[in-house]
Amino acid sequence: PSLQTSMRLYAVVWYALAAAEDTGKTAAVIFLHGLGDTGKGWQSIVKSIVGSDLSHVAWAFPTAPRQAVTLNGGAVTTSWFDVYGLAPEDGEDIAGFDDARTRVEAKISELMRRHSGIRRDRIVVAGFSQGAVVSLWTLLRGKSTLAGVVAISGWLPDNRKLIEHLDEPSMEYNRRLVPILMCHGTKDRLVKTKWAKDSARKMKYAGMNITWKTYPVEHTTNDKEMNDILVFI
């Protein structure tokens, strides 16, 4: 066979072996950063806290694409979606939410290909600020279940259609049953605590399996919050 054909055969065999690899990982966490950040920023924070614990968990810290952000005067930065403002009445970039969810779904598929021991119902999607919004959107629009969702310093996207999303027909699972941990700083002046609390209350009233926790911090996190998140995971 030609060199090109041999290379193609090698690639197919390598992919099949890689896809079937038993890495010992039986669960995964996808962590999504906030506006203007990168996956590496949170990777260092999480790994310093986790250490050698949760060795059965595969971690993924993707970075959002760079795009213009209305909130920042059109400046280009890493962003999962456009942000028009930081108040419930400012409107939302639904198409951007969908694009971000597509990226998360691709990462879920990648993790399941790489680690034969990971099922989708053993994957937690977590995020900070913008990433928290995307993690909730992944639950509300995904077609298959997740192990859980962690939303840090974020808010409920497209909240007026929450019941519609929860009661979508022909679903493989009940979105209300997926555990959610929603955390927020009581001193947060960027994403107001009231907005986040109202989001959590609305999800609770809708019958969702949500736990709400607050911490005496601004738009950031602290050790107690991160430890609570690890316990939840």
Side-chain angles (χ1 to χ4, degrees), residues 8-30:
R8 285 176 179 168
L9 287 171
Y10 174 81
V12 169
V13 172
W14 180 89
Y15 182 83
L17 290 173
E21 184 180 1
D22 181 5
T23 61
K25 305 296 185 184
T26 58
V29 178
I30 300 172

Side-chain angles (χ1 to χ4, degrees), residues 51-212:
S52 59
D53 295 336
L54 302 178
S55 59
H56 66 291
V57 176
W59 295 83
F61 299 87
T63 294
R66 291 177 59 81
Q67 58 181 299
V69 177
T70 302
L71 180 67
N72 289 356
V76 175
T77 188
T78 50
S79 181
W80 295 110
F81 52 85
D82 196 5
V83 183
Y84 305 138
L86 289 173
E89 64 273 11
D90 288 332
E92 297 178 289
D93 179 17
I94 303 298
F97 295 164
D98 288 336
D99 178 72
R101 186 182 72 82
T102 298
R103 294 173 187 275
V104 174
E105 292 290 350
K107 182 60 66 175
I108 289 173
S109 297
E110 177 189 328
L111 285 165
M112 292 174 67
R113 284 197 305 267
R114 288 175 54 195
H115 306 282
S116 62
I118 295 178
R119 304 189 311 266
R120 186 183 173 100
D121 63 356
R122 295 276 293 162
I123 296 176
V124 171
V125 180
F128 175 80
S129 195
Q130 257 202 342
V133 176
V134 177
S135 69
L136 289 169
W137 193 246
T138 301
L139 168 62
L140 292 174
R141 305 309 300 141
K143 301 303 180 186
S144 299
T145 194
L146 296 168
V149 168
V150 178
I152 311 166
S153 302
W155 65 91
L156 173 64
D158 199 21
N159 69 83
R160 284 181 287 272
K161 292 186 178 180
L162 177 61
I163 300 301
E164 180 180 327
H165 295 323
L166 292 174
D167 293 338
E168 183 179 357
S170 304
M171 286 300 302
E172 298 177 8
Y173 72 108
N174 186 343
R175 289 170 172 155
R176 288 180 170 85
L177 298 181
V178 176
I180 301 168
L181 175 62
M182 192 167 185
C183 306
H184 213 89
T186 56
K187 301 178 182 179
D188 194 333
R189 292 175 291 180
L190 193 61
V191 178
K192 302 294 186 184
T193 308
K194 182 181 184 304
W195 187 9
K197 188 174 182 178
D198 287 346
S199 294
R201 185 182 294 115
K202 184 160 189 171
M203 286 187 278
K204 190 74 172 180
Y205 287 168
M208 299 181 75
N209 183 11
I210 183 169
T211 299
W212 165 257

